[in-house]
Amino acid sequence: MTPRFAPGVRLHEDKARGRTVVMAPERMFVPDEIALAVLRLVDGQRDEAAIVAALAAQYDAPEDVIAADVKVLLDDLATRGALVRG
C-alpha cells in the first residue's frame, strides 16, 4: 500500500516552537523523531515497503523490526484520518 497525506493534511515546520507538526483540519499532531522520520518519507509515491527499506538503510536496522513499527504508525494515522492508504 502507498500511504499519502489525506486532503488538507501536511507536515508543517513550526519555526516559533522549533518543531515539525502534522497539520490537519481543526487538529494538530506533534510527531516524535521516529514518527517524523517515517512521515518525511510519505510522499504518495513510496509504498510501505519502500519506506521501510529507506529507514532500515538510514538507521542500519533490521527491516522486520522497522516494518512492524511503521505499520503501527501508519495504521494509527490512517485511523485518525491524517493518512490515506491507496
Side-chain angles (χ1 to χ4, degrees):
M1 300 193 134
T2 304
R4 62 180 168 79
F5 287 101
V9 178
R10 63 187 170 81
L11 283 179
H12 173 74
E13 193 68 35
D14 184 347
K15 292 180 182 176
R17 292 178 183 86
R19 64 183 176 197
T20 302
V21 297
V22 178
M23 297 293 296
E26 299 184 27
R27 62 188 166 201
M28 176 182 80
F29 305 102
V30 181
D32 63 20
E33 289 301 315
I34 295 169
L36 190 54
V38 175
L39 292 173
R40 285 188 171 134
L41 295 173
V42 172
D43 60 6
Q45 301 298 313
R46 289 182 185 99
D47 65 7
E48 193 170 326
I51 291 171
V52 168
L55 291 168
Q58 181 179 350
Y59 292 103
D60 192 27
E63 283 192 26
D64 59 332
V65 172
I66 289 178
D69 292 341
V70 168
K71 179 172 179 16
V72 168
L73 174 68
L74 296 179
D75 286 347
D76 180 54
L77 289 173
T79 299
R80 294 179 186 216
L83 291 179
V84 176
R85 298 173 104 178

